[in-house]
């Protein structure tokens, strides 16, 4: 806090960051094995690496107005998360607190873009208090509404992805890796997904369980998903607030939110996304939810994740036995293994079908809850097969280069 990055350097053993303290201008060098550049859309780390953005660029000089006003007569008891406004004055959306007494109005466009596209896209041209009050009133549709302006923020509606997500020991994440319009609410979640993908890999490499090659899979897995998500946010922006851009920008077809938030896939032959209710445990998809019980306690298969996890069918004990030896082979790798139907009750008998295996098969789930591998049936050499699957999942086999 109170410091800024001025330089980043790396060598074969680690990363050095030079920071300057705002008060006094004193310099300090920090050293670590790896660096995660999660320093926002104006990332200094990304700039130092010479990594730019690619994509559609900025298409609106937008403004968010924070205000206090009683909008309960219009909202009532409706628990609306986002309220879109499209009228002759402005296009944007409201988000309000629970009592509808305060919130913000994000504005992307003013007036008629067909008459003056440049002026319409410059919603932040006038941020005087008088003008901001006028815009809130116009959004509500009441010229006499009592409004107090609490603040405002200028920002660019942008749809971009970083050209690279990794440079040796430095990883680009969050807004530093992808910028998207707020439509759909995907931005923050996509950054969390980046961290979710990277954190377990770094942890296992640093602890010696995994090869450093595993880290190369971060960019290979996350960049296609980020590009897909950014495009979906842009398609929602066009559909909801800027339909006149459709002919010139040709946005991608909208897909269901569930595909974006929970259905994105890693290195899957079926594509980058799918309905997560239909993927049936295919490698690269999220491990499916199935209700289980143990000692009278109900829990989900998802509750068992957070480390490597092997789930076998009721007749798959050989896989569980193999997992115990595999943990030792990889330096005490945290790995839990269970027979569903034996160690946990599957009263509805959903587990095998949900995970795409037979009662003698098994599924290996990564610490981030994604399926790394599965074998639909028993194997003659369960130990050898599982060791190979774990070896690949830990980067001990070369990771294919990103396209």
């Amino acid at each position: 806090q109170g410091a800024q990055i001025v330089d980043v350097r790396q060598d074969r053993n680690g990363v050095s960051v030079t920071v300057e303290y705002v008060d006094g201008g004193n310099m300090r060098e920090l050293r670590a094995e790896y660096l995660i550049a999660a320093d926002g859309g104006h990332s200094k780390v990304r700039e130092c690496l010479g990594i730019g953005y690619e994509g559609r660029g900025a298409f609106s000089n937008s403004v968010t107005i924070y205000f206090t006003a009683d909008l309960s007569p219009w909202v009532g008891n409706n628990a609306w998360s986002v309220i879109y406004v499209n009228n002759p004055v402005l296009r944007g959306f409201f988000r309000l607190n629970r009592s509808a007494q305060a919130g913000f109005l994000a504005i992307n466009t003013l007036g008629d873009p067909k008459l003056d596209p440049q002026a319409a896209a410059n919603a932040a041209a006038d941020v005087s208090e008088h003008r901001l009050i006028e815009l809130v009133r116009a959004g509500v549709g009441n010229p006499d509404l009592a409004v107090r302006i609490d603040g405002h923020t200028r920002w660019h509606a942008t749809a971009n992805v970083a050209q690279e997500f990794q440079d040796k020991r430095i990883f680009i994440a969050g807004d530093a890796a992808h910028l998207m319009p707020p439509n759909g609410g995907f931005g923050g979640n996509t950054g969390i997904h980046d961290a979710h993908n990277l954190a377990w890999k770094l942890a296992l490499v640093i602890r010696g369980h995994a090869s450093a090659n595993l880290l190369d899979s971060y960019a290979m897995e996350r960049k296609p998903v980020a590009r897909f998500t950014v495009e979906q946010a842009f398609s929602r922006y066009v559909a909801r607030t800027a339909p006149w851009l459709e002919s010139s920008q040709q946005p991608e077809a909208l897909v269901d939110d569930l595909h974006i938030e929970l259905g994105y896939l890693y290195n899957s032959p079926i594509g980058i996304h799918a309905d997560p209710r239909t993927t049936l445990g295919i490698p690269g998809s999220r491990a499916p939810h199935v209700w289980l019980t143990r000692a009278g306690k109900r829990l989900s298969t998802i509750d068992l994740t957070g480390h490597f996890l092997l789930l076998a069918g009721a007749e798959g004990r050989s896989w569980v036995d193999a997992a115990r030896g595999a943990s030792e082979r990889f330096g005490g790798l945290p790995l839990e293994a269970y027979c569903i139907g034996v160690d946990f009750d599957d009263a509805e008998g959903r587990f095998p079908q949900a995970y795409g295996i037979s009662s003698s098969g098994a599924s290996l789930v990564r610490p981030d809850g994604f399926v790394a591998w599965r074998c639909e049936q028993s194997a003659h050499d369960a130990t050898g097969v599982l060791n190979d699957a774990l070896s690949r999942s830990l980067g001990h086999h070369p990771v294919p280069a990103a396209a």
Side-chain angles (χ1 to χ4, degrees), residues 2 31 40 67 69 88 184 187 190 195 199 246 292 303 322 329 335 359 375 389 391:
R31 180 76 174 173
F67 67 90
T190 308
E246 184 169 1
L292 307 172
D303 294 327
R329 175 177 178 177
L335 168 62
S359 61
C375 188
S391 184

PDB file of all heavy atoms in Angstrom, residues 2 31 40 67 69 88 184 187 190 195 199 246 292 303 322 329 335 359 375 389 391:
ATOM      1  N   GLY A   2       0.531   2.232  -0.818  1.00  0.00           N
ATOM      2  CA  GLY A   2       1.332   3.437  -0.907  1.00  0.00           C
ATOM      3  C   GLY A   2       2.590   3.275  -1.718  1.00  0.00           C
ATOM      4  O   GLY A   2       3.538   4.059  -1.576  1.00  0.00           O
ATOM      5  N   ARG A  31      11.786  -9.825  -4.056  1.00  0.00           N
ATOM      6  CA  ARG A  31      12.214 -11.006  -4.794  1.00  0.00           C
ATOM      7  C   ARG A  31      11.314 -12.188  -4.451  1.00  0.00           C
ATOM      8  O   ARG A  31      10.953 -12.399  -3.287  1.00  0.00           O
ATOM      9  CB  ARG A  31      13.658 -11.340  -4.427  1.00  0.00           C
ATOM     10  CG  ARG A  31      14.267 -12.557  -5.109  1.00  0.00           C
ATOM     11  CD  ARG A  31      14.642 -12.269  -6.536  1.00  0.00           C
ATOM     12  NE  ARG A  31      15.349 -13.409  -7.139  1.00  0.00           N
ATOM     13  CZ  ARG A  31      15.685 -13.487  -8.410  1.00  0.00           C
ATOM     14  NH1 ARG A  31      15.389 -12.466  -9.227  1.00  0.00           N
ATOM     15  NH2 ARG A  31      16.323 -14.536  -8.885  1.00  0.00           N
ATOM     16  N   GLY A  40      -4.520  -5.065 -12.561  1.00  0.00           N
ATOM     17  CA  GLY A  40      -5.553  -4.295 -13.230  1.00  0.00           C
ATOM     18  C   GLY A  40      -5.337  -4.020 -14.704  1.00  0.00           C
ATOM     19  O   GLY A  40      -4.334  -4.413 -15.307  1.00  0.00           O
ATOM     20  N   PHE A  67     -25.195   7.475  -6.336  1.00  0.00           N
ATOM     21  CA  PHE A  67     -26.182   8.452  -5.887  1.00  0.00           C
ATOM     22  C   PHE A  67     -27.031   7.903  -4.742  1.00  0.00           C
ATOM     23  O   PHE A  67     -27.071   6.691  -4.484  1.00  0.00           O
ATOM     24  CB  PHE A  67     -27.102   8.843  -7.047  1.00  0.00           C
ATOM     25  CG  PHE A  67     -27.979   7.705  -7.521  1.00  0.00           C
ATOM     26  CD1 PHE A  67     -29.241   7.484  -6.969  1.00  0.00           C
ATOM     27  CD2 PHE A  67     -27.537   6.841  -8.504  1.00  0.00           C
ATOM     28  CE1 PHE A  67     -30.040   6.430  -7.394  1.00  0.00           C
ATOM     29  CE2 PHE A  67     -28.318   5.773  -8.943  1.00  0.00           C
ATOM     30  CZ  PHE A  67     -29.580   5.570  -8.387  1.00  0.00           C
ATOM     31  N   ALA A  69     -31.057   8.261  -3.619  1.00  0.00           N
ATOM     32  CA  ALA A  69     -32.392   8.700  -4.021  1.00  0.00           C
ATOM     33  C   ALA A  69     -33.357   7.575  -3.695  1.00  0.00           C
ATOM     34  O   ALA A  69     -32.990   6.396  -3.741  1.00  0.00           O
ATOM     35  CB  ALA A  69     -32.439   9.033  -5.509  1.00  0.00           C
ATOM     36  N   PRO A  88     -34.744   7.586 -24.854  1.00  0.00           N
ATOM     37  CA  PRO A  88     -34.133   8.548 -25.786  1.00  0.00           C
ATOM     38  C   PRO A  88     -32.964   9.334 -25.212  1.00  0.00           C
ATOM     39  O   PRO A  88     -32.155   9.885 -25.961  1.00  0.00           O
ATOM     40  CB  PRO A  88     -35.307   9.475 -26.136  1.00  0.00           C
ATOM     41  CG  PRO A  88     -36.523   8.631 -25.933  1.00  0.00           C
ATOM     42  CD  PRO A  88     -36.222   7.777 -24.759  1.00  0.00           C
ATOM     43  N   GLY A 184     -23.549  -8.929 -18.045  1.00  0.00           N
ATOM     44  CA  GLY A 184     -23.415 -10.339 -17.718  1.00  0.00           C
ATOM     45  C   GLY A 184     -22.740 -10.548 -16.376  1.00  0.00           C
ATOM     46  O   GLY A 184     -22.899 -11.592 -15.745  1.00  0.00           O
ATOM     47  N   GLY A 187     -16.787 -10.242 -15.343  1.00  0.00           N
ATOM     48  CA  GLY A 187     -15.419  -9.782 -15.165  1.00  0.00           C
ATOM     49  C   GLY A 187     -14.756 -10.279 -13.897  1.00  0.00           C
ATOM     50  O   GLY A 187     -13.687 -10.901 -13.937  1.00  0.00           O
ATOM     51  N   THR A 190     -14.344 -14.094 -13.810  1.00  0.00           N
ATOM     52  CA  THR A 190     -13.300 -14.602 -14.697  1.00  0.00           C
ATOM     53  C   THR A 190     -11.930 -14.449 -14.053  1.00  0.00           C
ATOM     54  O   THR A 190     -11.059 -15.321 -14.198  1.00  0.00           O
ATOM     55  CB  THR A 190     -13.354 -13.880 -16.052  1.00  0.00           C
ATOM     56  OG1 THR A 190     -14.685 -13.955 -16.575  1.00  0.00           O
ATOM     57  CG2 THR A 190     -12.412 -14.523 -17.055  1.00  0.00           C
ATOM     58  N   ALA A 195      -7.334 -17.278 -10.907  1.00  0.00           N
ATOM     59  CA  ALA A 195      -6.642 -17.637  -9.665  1.00  0.00           C
ATOM     60  C   ALA A 195      -6.920 -19.084  -9.279  1.00  0.00           C
ATOM     61  O   ALA A 195      -6.030 -19.803  -8.806  1.00  0.00           O
ATOM     62  CB  ALA A 195      -7.081 -16.689  -8.549  1.00  0.00           C
ATOM     63  N   ALA A 199      -3.549 -21.225  -8.746  1.00  0.00           N
ATOM     64  CA  ALA A 199      -3.061 -21.351  -7.366  1.00  0.00           C
ATOM     65  C   ALA A 199      -2.613 -22.764  -7.024  1.00  0.00           C
ATOM     66  O   ALA A 199      -1.530 -22.966  -6.449  1.00  0.00           O
ATOM     67  CB  ALA A 199      -4.145 -20.890  -6.395  1.00  0.00           C
ATOM     68  N   GLU A 246     -24.454  -4.055 -33.989  1.00  0.00           N
ATOM     69  CA  GLU A 246     -24.514  -5.443 -34.442  1.00  0.00           C
ATOM     70  C   GLU A 246     -24.052  -5.606 -35.883  1.00  0.00           C
ATOM     71  O   GLU A 246     -23.292  -6.526 -36.208  1.00  0.00           O
ATOM     72  CB  GLU A 246     -25.933  -5.992 -34.274  1.00  0.00           C
ATOM     73  CG  GLU A 246     -26.042  -7.467 -34.627  1.00  0.00           C
ATOM     74  CD  GLU A 246     -27.367  -8.060 -34.212  1.00  0.00           C
ATOM     75  OE1 GLU A 246     -28.227  -7.330 -33.665  1.00  0.00           O
ATOM     76  OE2 GLU A 246     -27.556  -9.269 -34.440  1.00  0.00           O
ATOM     77  N   LEU A 292     -24.354 -37.354  -1.908  1.00  0.00           N
ATOM     78  CA  LEU A 292     -23.918 -38.572  -1.238  1.00  0.00           C
ATOM     79  C   LEU A 292     -24.252 -38.467   0.248  1.00  0.00           C
ATOM     80  O   LEU A 292     -24.536 -37.379   0.755  1.00  0.00           O
ATOM     81  CB  LEU A 292     -22.400 -38.763  -1.395  1.00  0.00           C
ATOM     82  CG  LEU A 292     -21.824 -38.727  -2.811  1.00  0.00           C
ATOM     83  CD1 LEU A 292     -20.296 -38.737  -2.746  1.00  0.00           C
ATOM     84  CD2 LEU A 292     -22.339 -39.892  -3.645  1.00  0.00           C
ATOM     85  N   ASP A 303     -18.034 -31.267  -2.487  1.00  0.00           N
ATOM     86  CA  ASP A 303     -17.484 -31.006  -1.155  1.00  0.00           C
ATOM     87  C   ASP A 303     -16.197 -31.789  -0.900  1.00  0.00           C
ATOM     88  O   ASP A 303     -15.437 -31.441   0.009  1.00  0.00           O
ATOM     89  CB  ASP A 303     -18.508 -31.380  -0.076  1.00  0.00           C
ATOM     90  CG  ASP A 303     -19.737 -30.504  -0.108  1.00  0.00           C
ATOM     91  OD1 ASP A 303     -19.604 -29.317  -0.457  1.00  0.00           O
ATOM     92  OD2 ASP A 303     -20.833 -31.005   0.201  1.00  0.00           O
ATOM     93  N   ALA A 322      -4.706 -48.340  -5.701  1.00  0.00           N
ATOM     94  CA  ALA A 322      -3.636 -47.764  -6.524  1.00  0.00           C
ATOM     95  C   ALA A 322      -3.350 -46.325  -6.119  1.00  0.00           C
ATOM     96  O   ALA A 322      -2.199 -45.864  -6.171  1.00  0.00           O
ATOM     97  CB  ALA A 322      -4.013 -47.835  -7.996  1.00  0.00           C
ATOM     98  N   ARG A 329       4.344 -42.088  -4.367  1.00  0.00           N
ATOM     99  CA  ARG A 329       5.248 -41.953  -5.500  1.00  0.00           C
ATOM    100  C   ARG A 329       5.506 -40.495  -5.841  1.00  0.00           C
ATOM    101  O   ARG A 329       6.600 -40.134  -6.278  1.00  0.00           O
ATOM    102  CB  ARG A 329       4.670 -42.676  -6.712  1.00  0.00           C
ATOM    103  CG  ARG A 329       5.512 -42.483  -7.963  1.00  0.00           C
ATOM    104  CD  ARG A 329       4.998 -43.249  -9.141  1.00  0.00           C
ATOM    105  NE  ARG A 329       5.809 -42.980 -10.317  1.00  0.00           N
ATOM    106  CZ  ARG A 329       5.633 -43.558 -11.488  1.00  0.00           C
ATOM    107  NH1 ARG A 329       4.682 -44.450 -11.652  1.00  0.00           N
ATOM    108  NH2 ARG A 329       6.404 -43.244 -12.506  1.00  0.00           N
ATOM    109  N   LEU A 335      -3.855 -36.663  -1.897  1.00  0.00           N
ATOM    110  CA  LEU A 335      -4.729 -37.408  -2.807  1.00  0.00           C
ATOM    111  C   LEU A 335      -5.666 -38.271  -1.969  1.00  0.00           C
ATOM    112  O   LEU A 335      -5.205 -39.110  -1.191  1.00  0.00           O
ATOM    113  CB  LEU A 335      -3.895 -38.279  -3.746  1.00  0.00           C
ATOM    114  CG  LEU A 335      -4.634 -39.339  -4.575  1.00  0.00           C
ATOM    115  CD1 LEU A 335      -5.634 -38.684  -5.516  1.00  0.00           C
ATOM    116  CD2 LEU A 335      -3.640 -40.189  -5.365  1.00  0.00           C
ATOM    117  N   SER A 359     -19.496 -49.099 -12.952  1.00  0.00           N
ATOM    118  CA  SER A 359     -19.316 -49.341 -11.521  1.00  0.00           C
ATOM    119  C   SER A 359     -17.890 -49.747 -11.175  1.00  0.00           C
ATOM    120  O   SER A 359     -17.488 -49.706 -10.011  1.00  0.00           O
ATOM    121  CB  SER A 359     -20.290 -50.418 -11.043  1.00  0.00           C
ATOM    122  OG  SER A 359     -20.056 -51.636 -11.733  1.00  0.00           O
ATOM    123  N   CYS A 375     -11.321 -43.345 -16.432  1.00  0.00           N
ATOM    124  CA  CYS A 375     -11.275 -44.653 -17.084  1.00  0.00           C
ATOM    125  C   CYS A 375     -12.643 -45.289 -16.857  1.00  0.00           C
ATOM    126  O   CYS A 375     -13.057 -45.450 -15.706  1.00  0.00           O
ATOM    127  CB  CYS A 375     -10.168 -45.519 -16.493  1.00  0.00           C
ATOM    128  SG  CYS A 375      -9.905 -47.066 -17.390  1.00  0.00           S
ATOM    129  N   ALA A 389      -1.693 -41.233 -15.422  1.00  0.00           N
ATOM    130  CA  ALA A 389      -2.655 -40.122 -15.425  1.00  0.00           C
ATOM    131  C   ALA A 389      -2.215 -39.018 -14.479  1.00  0.00           C
ATOM    132  O   ALA A 389      -2.282 -37.825 -14.808  1.00  0.00           O
ATOM    133  CB  ALA A 389      -4.042 -40.631 -15.038  1.00  0.00           C
ATOM    134  N   SER A 391       0.865 -38.454 -13.459  1.00  0.00           N
ATOM    135  CA  SER A 391       2.090 -37.874 -13.984  1.00  0.00           C
ATOM    136  C   SER A 391       1.787 -36.788 -14.997  1.00  0.00           C
ATOM    137  O   SER A 391       2.356 -35.689 -14.965  1.00  0.00           O
ATOM    138  CB  SER A 391       2.953 -38.969 -14.613  1.00  0.00           C
ATOM    139  OG  SER A 391       4.180 -38.449 -15.055  1.00  0.00           O
TER     140      SER A 391
END
